[in-house]
Amino acid sequence: MNHLGDYDVIVIGAGHAGIEAAHAAAMLGAKTAVFTLSLDAIGNMPCNPSIGGTAKGTLVRELDALGGVMGLAADATYLQSRMLNKGKGPAVHALRVQTDRKRYHEYMKHALELTPGLAIHQAEVVSVEVEDGRVKGVVTQLNGEYGAKCVVIATGTNLGGKIFVGDAWYASGPDGMHAANALTESLKAAGLPLRRFKTGTPARVHRRSIDFSQLECQPGDPDNELQPFSFMTDAPMHNKVECWIAYTNPETHRIILDNIQRSPLYGGMIEGVGPRYCPSIEDKVVRFAGKDPIFVEPCGENTEEMYLQGASSSLPEDVQNAFYRSIKGFEQIEIMRPAYAIEYDCVDPTSLEATLESKVVRGLYGAGQFNGTSGYEEAAAQGLLAGLNAARKALGESQLILPRQSSYLGTLVDDLVTKGVMDPYRMMTSRSEYRLTLRQDNADQRLTPIGREYGLVQDDRWAKYQHTQNILEAERRRLHETHLRTAELRAAMEEAGLAPAAEGGIAEELLRRPEISYPLVAKLIGWGEGITPMLAERLETEIKYAGYIARQDRMIRDVARHEKTLIPADFEYADLTGLTLEAREKLTRIRPKNLGQAGRIPGVSPSDVAQLSIALTVREKT
């Protein structure tokens, strides 16, 4: 064995989770190294080349507000940008961009190369060294030994990866990367509770083989409405490409059903559990037979590869050819990379603390698909939290726990460590009780002060944040103090095709009306200094929904009281005979940190929480 160095933090994997973990740890001053199977796979997008989407877009904004990299990378490499759910309330508005896959990789590789204090190694880590229940370092395939105070595992789908296409299978990670099998055995030996999950990806096809005249065009938003992911991005934005939509039909379904037993998913070859909210086309045909959309998206500006979102499959290549070609516009389709399913190892996330540190091996952290999640955005957000906490632990500083009422990231982590997962976890707005408060537009207000406190938000971002808050506060005062005359307001509303208001009034009060927008008000009193369309939308939301937001804030304060009731680490649940047997078993296994977390554990009822509250009060008095 060759001892080649010592680090405060070592990150295994340089996908979306590993990038953010390594960047965060190094930016906090920890001596950090990131290990990747290939430098050419840093920031790889093995599934669809896009960032954001419903709930996921909020995660990216939160990640950016904390000082992460993904939002900046998405803004620098997007091809098309759209705000989803604009016809619904602001709580579910979600930014999504189509991304240039190669340029995204190049941006992220260079971002890591420019990160001070970060070493980048191309090497396979084959074991994590553990001594007396604590992580000690890692060993590579080339017998290189590296010491570490903390290690972050961000292995994506490479850990024990196995590819399936029909009756063919082979050990592999995504995109032909080799599987990391030896590391699985090392983690099992260390006592980590591992399981098998599965995901999949559709075929990539040649642009020239698609008849776009038969497809439905899906353009991006108008350039004057485009919003960036990063609160630091000021450059003008414009869309570069169009996306398209095709649809399956009864013939597509017939071909799939006639060959369903040739799918390893239905033939019994795959043992891993697949994502509930992103099913393969086989699953959709069997379970929800209907006219399924397939989104045709470019993989980059300088490639002819097109991605068929919504049509992932593990069927044999001949069946893939047949069912894709049954779709209108795809009759001459040329598959460049066939669809496949991939099975991989991950950890039971209830074995993690809310800091993402393992309860089994101290100093070992998990992030991304290793923790049982799916999606680039979920992975990156966890990566930042794991890297931040690993660095702070290595440096002897306090760690960060984000409560679920603070952020989607806090909700995601709380769900993982408290409720666990039965299939790959995907963030959705419905998972949060506080989604009107946890909007994408106010992520900086919620999280940038936290990022500053914990050392990730640098001076330039902090100055930008303070400047934005000053702009918003000045405009709130102006709207509160400005009166609109009845005649001018009526004329503006009639010109906009709206029923005229009965009378004028204070601008802020008028904005509470659903038909009156900030741009309409600004037409009469001028746009506030420094107010962008993005900030205008944020102000309008805060004013229109002020009552609902205040009610949700009261709910958050009520919940916070339970969160403050801490449960000692050595508390004996077995002694509480008033609890159900299921509650005692789950509380003993998960070891919640406070009464609020205890109440969110599946199988722990409100009466169990009441009994536990009484027992904690008695213990405190004795």
Side-chain angles (χ1 to χ4, degrees), residues 398-470:
S398 63
Q399 298 186 73
L400 172 62
I401 293 177
L402 289 171
R404 67 184 295 118
Q405 60 267 28
S406 74
S407 55
Y408 274 21
L409 174 53
T411 302
L412 184 159
V413 172
D414 184 66
D415 280 352
L416 292 177
V417 304
T418 302
K419 302 175 183 178
V421 292
M422 298 303 294
D423 50 72
Y425 179 101
R426 177 180 179 178
M427 191 68 220
M428 297 181 291
T429 54
S430 60
R431 295 193 188 275
S432 174
E433 309 92 309
Y434 315 109
R435 53 188 175 271
L436 184 55
T437 300
L438 308 183
R439 305 183 313 277
Q440 61 174 359
D441 60 42
N442 67 357
D444 60 337
Q445 186 174 328
R446 292 184 281 114
L447 295 174
T448 297
I450 295 173
R452 182 68 171 179
E453 178 186 352
Y454 280 81
L456 258 189
V457 169
Q458 305 299 302
D459 290 346
D460 59 341
R461 183 179 290 276
W462 183 243
K464 179 74 179 292
Y465 166 75
Q466 291 181 309
H467 181 61
T468 299
Q469 296 309 304
N470 291 336

Side-chain angles (χ1 to χ4, degrees), residues 49-69:
S50 69
I51 297 292
T54 303
K56 294 168 176 282
T58 305
L59 278 175
V60 180
R61 284 266 178 89
E62 292 182 347
L63 179 60
D64 181 75
L66 286 166
V69 188

Side-chain angles (χ1 to χ4, degrees), residues 483-494 499-506 510 513 516 520 524:
H483 187 279
L484 299 184
R485 296 176 181 176
T486 302
E488 292 176 347
L489 178 62
R490 285 179 176 175
M493 294 183 71
E494 286 177 356
E503 57 185 25
I506 300 297
L510 290 168
R513 301 181 184 178
I516 296 182
L520 188 145
L524 299 176

Side-chain angles (χ1 to χ4, degrees), residues 10-22 33-37 42 112 123 125 152-156 158:
I10 284 177
V11 179
I12 305 174
H16 304 282
I19 287 168
E20 299 291 352
V34 59
F35 287 79
T36 174
L37 292 172
I42 291 174
L112 291 188
V125 173
V152 180
I153 301 178
T155 46
N158 289 90

Side-chain angles (χ1 to χ4, degrees), residues 332-543:
Q332 306 300 320
I333 207 78
E334 297 174 24
I335 293 178
M336 299 175 72
R337 308 189 202 208
Y340 63 83
I342 183 168
E343 199 176 62
Y344 57 96
D345 293 322
C346 55
V347 76
D348 178 352
T350 61
S351 68
L352 303 174
E353 305 280 7
T355 59
L356 298 181
E357 183 181 12
S358 171
K359 297 174 184 177
V360 179
V361 178
R362 291 301 171 180
L364 185 66
Y365 293 75
Q369 285 178 287
F370 178 74
N371 290 355
T373 61
S374 67
Y376 307 148
E377 302 81 5
E378 291 89 339
Q382 292 171 74
L384 180 139
L385 185 63
L388 181 152
N389 282 330
R392 290 182 66 89
K393 185 180 182 75
L395 298 173
E397 299 172 347
S398 63
Q399 298 186 73
L400 172 62
I401 293 177
L402 289 171
R404 67 184 295 118
Q405 60 267 28
S406 74
S407 55
Y408 274 21
L409 174 53
T411 302
L412 184 159
V413 172
D414 184 66
D415 280 352
L416 292 177
V417 304
T418 302
K419 302 175 183 178
V421 292
M422 298 303 294
D423 50 72
Y425 179 101
R426 177 180 179 178
M427 191 68 220
M428 297 181 291
T429 54
S430 60
R431 295 193 188 275
S432 174
E433 309 92 309
Y434 315 109
R435 53 188 175 271
L436 184 55
T437 300
L438 308 183
R439 305 183 313 277
Q440 61 174 359
D441 60 42
N442 67 357
D444 60 337
Q445 186 174 328
R446 292 184 281 114
L447 295 174
T448 297
I450 295 173
R452 182 68 171 179
E453 178 186 352
Y454 280 81
L456 258 189
V457 169
Q458 305 299 302
D459 290 346
D460 59 341
R461 183 179 290 276
W462 183 243
K464 179 74 179 292
Y465 166 75
Q466 291 181 309
H467 181 61
T468 299
Q469 296 309 304
N470 291 336
I471 288 172
L472 288 167
E473 187 54 39
E475 186 62 1
R476 289 186 191 103
R477 285 197 304 270
R478 188 173 80 109
L479 292 170
H480 182 71
E481 296 168 356
T482 302
H483 187 279
L484 299 184
R485 296 176 181 176
T486 302
E488 292 176 347
L489 178 62
R490 285 179 176 175
M493 294 183 71
E494 286 177 356
E495 185 180 342
L498 301 171
E503 57 185 25
I506 300 297
E508 181 184 34
E509 295 300 321
L510 290 168
L511 268 173
R512 297 189 192 282
R513 301 181 184 178
E515 71 276 13
I516 296 182
S517 66
Y518 179 92
L520 188 145
V521 170
K523 189 172 183 180
L524 299 176
I525 65 172
W527 282 72
E529 185 176 353
I531 295 294
T532 63
M534 182 174 167
L535 293 181
E537 184 179 324
R538 176 168 167 180
L539 277 169
E540 189 176 325
T541 296
E542 290 174 352
I543 291 169

